[in-house]
Amino acid sequence: MTFAAMTSADSQLHPRAPGAELADSSSAAAYIADGCLADGPLERVGLEVEAHCHDPADPLRRPGWEEITGVIGSLPALPGGSRVTVEPGGAVELSGPPAGGVLSAIHGMARDQSVLRSAFADAGLGLVYLGADPLRPPKRVNPGARYAAMEEFFATSRSGEAGASMMTSTASVQVNVDAGPRDGWAARVRLAHALGPTMIAMTANSPMLGGEFTGWVSTRQRVWGRMDSARCGPILGASGDDPGTDWARYALKAPVMMVNDPEPAAVTHWVPFADWADGRVPLGGRRPTVADLEYHLTTLFPPVRPRHWLEIRYLDSAPDAFWPAMVFTLVTLLDDPVAADIAAEAVAPVATAWDVAARAGLRDRRLHAAAARCVAVAAERAPADLADAMQRLARNVDQGRCPGDDFSDEVIEHGIAATVSQAARCPQGGL
């Protein structure tokens, strides 16, 4: 993850050896809560941006593993320092290092995206920045054992269809921010959750899936909403006053997806991690270790996930015309104390309206009002080099439009295949 190198205090937060066996679920809960967030100033921002890989000449074709990794293998060192990885369905992800503020993170990611897109274009391929693959059926191309086990887990669960789409047909912009000072954790985590529906409504960019309009402005969020809520739903408890306890409770109730033995093997029956830790259900013929618990946490996908920092995972992928303004708005509403107070008040009436936001977006009057207030606050604080992007986002919000509306207009006029081909050829990551 983007912030993996940022926390020199990790060894102090997690002093146990990875192979140490957990005594019971209570010790697991204490371990999770103690390492949930890292106390410190609000300084760093990291970004992760995913894009669907398409062949512009044949947009229905899904480029294979060797094609994609061949391009990645030819890349020079990226100027912004991002890592490049491949998602299960062949989406390409740039994971930027923690930067000293949102502007540094945006500029670094933009430089790396430019190099990445050029390399894929030279190979006859293109990167399409949408929250959901609009055209192709789900298919895994990454042969990694983790993803094979994940695919098996979903195929045998109640989330089979949604799981396949989530793995291979969705893409996001993830924003990673410092947890901040300990005395502000509860309010910060509550706000990160409460902003979710409003941010989804104003930035939705996935109106199609499998060649059809779904009727949802964020089909990506629709897919995630159909996943098992024990793994993908919001973490917050009744009050949200203790993020560590909330995260521990969530993680221990969530079913174990896979066990490393030594390669990842899917667990195809419902086993909450607490049952494994307490010895009620042995998996792999043993009790879990600290390493097993850490791995389990990486298989949980709530919209806001604590990893010592906060991973904010609810934004659709979007092209260059939108994602910098999306990122700046979200980070400003979280990190600027005056903006955060205004945002908390603005989004309170729609703080849990996840499905409404994904389905109706800014057509919902309460979400429209919250979005207008939030984007205005952020626009007031935007530097000159983001002024045009922020004005475009503010204008869209004023008109009740989201980024996906531009894509939809093109599909209606030119057809889905032609629109995807054009997006794949676009040097700015979109239409």
Side-chain angles (χ1 to χ4, degrees), residues 20-375:
E21 187 176 282
L22 294 166
D24 52 28
S25 61
S26 295
S27 64
Y31 180 88
I32 295 168
D34 289 347
C36 177
L37 298 172
D39 188 16
L42 299 177
E43 294 178 339
R44 291 157 294 190
V45 177
L47 301 178
E48 302 180 28
V49 180
E50 298 170 342
H52 305 284
C53 183
H54 278 271
D55 179 349
D58 184 3
L60 269 168
R61 185 178 76 86
R62 189 180 291 269
W65 175 250
E66 291 77 12
E67 283 182 272
I68 297 170
T69 56
V71 178
I72 293 171
S74 70
L75 286 170
L78 297 179
S82 294
R83 290 188 304 112
V84 188
T85 54
V86 183
E87 294 298 299
V92 179
E93 178 182 72
L94 281 177
S95 298
V102 64
L103 295 180
S104 294
I106 289 171
H107 293 152
M109 180 57 65
R111 291 194 299 271
D112 289 352
Q113 279 188 316
S114 179
V115 174
L116 187 72
R117 283 198 293 262
S118 293
F120 273 84
D122 289 345
L125 299 174
L127 299 177
V128 176
Y129 293 82
L130 288 165
D133 186 327
L135 187 57
R136 301 171 299 192
K139 181 182 178 182
R140 179 172 63 88
V141 300
N142 188 323
R146 172 182 169 94
Y147 296 132
M150 187 179 294
E151 184 177 61
E152 182 181 357
F153 173 87
F154 285 129
T156 58
S157 76
R158 293 168 292 182
S159 300
E161 183 178 349
S165 294
M166 179 276 285
M167 288 180 64
T168 67
S169 301
T170 63
S172 70
V173 174
Q174 180 173 304
V175 180
N176 300 327
V177 293
D178 283 314
R182 182 182 298 270
D183 61 4
W185 283 354
R188 186 164 173 77
V189 171
R190 282 197 299 270
L191 180 57
H193 280 83
L195 284 168
T198 298
M199 290 300 305
I200 288 168
M202 76 166 77
T203 64
N205 192 39
S206 49
M208 301 186 72
L209 185 69
E212 301 288 342
F213 284 105
T214 64
W216 293 58
V217 294
S218 178
T219 302
R220 176 184 179 274
Q221 182 62 30
R222 178 200 186 197
V223 167
W224 284 87
R226 292 184 173 183
M227 301 287 289
D228 172 24
S229 62
R231 183 176 305 281
C232 299
I235 293 169
L236 283 181
S239 65
D241 288 336
D242 186 350
T245 298
D246 287 342
W247 180 222
R249 184 184 298 113
Y250 183 104
L252 293 176
K253 285 183 177 180
V256 180
M257 176 181 280
M258 59 188 89
V259 175
N260 288 313
D261 195 26
E263 290 295 314
V267 178
T268 57
H269 52 295
W270 187 279
V271 181
F273 193 92
D275 286 359
W276 189 18
D278 286 331
R280 287 189 288 271
V281 182
L283 296 175
R286 58 180 174 80
R287 297 284 284 273
T289 64
V290 170
D292 290 319
L293 176 55
E294 288 283 1
Y295 195 77
H296 173 65
L297 296 178
T298 71
T299 70
L300 307 180
F301 311 115
V304 179
R305 182 167 69 174
R307 295 286 302 277
H308 313 323
W309 59 94
L310 292 179
E311 294 179 347
I312 300 175
R313 307 167 57 87
Y314 44 65
L315 299 179
D316 282 1
S317 184
D320 291 359
F322 288 103
W323 74 259
M326 292 162 45
V327 168
F328 181 81
T329 297
L330 178 58
V331 176
T332 298
L333 298 178
L334 283 168
D335 284 6
D336 182 291
V338 175
D341 287 345
I342 295 170
E345 179 184 358
V347 303
V350 290
T352 60
W354 298 91
D355 281 352
V356 175
R359 185 177 62 252
L362 297 178
R363 294 194 301 271
D364 180 271
R365 60 178 181 80
R366 297 187 307 159
L367 285 163
H368 186 268
R373 193 170 179 194
C374 285
V375 77

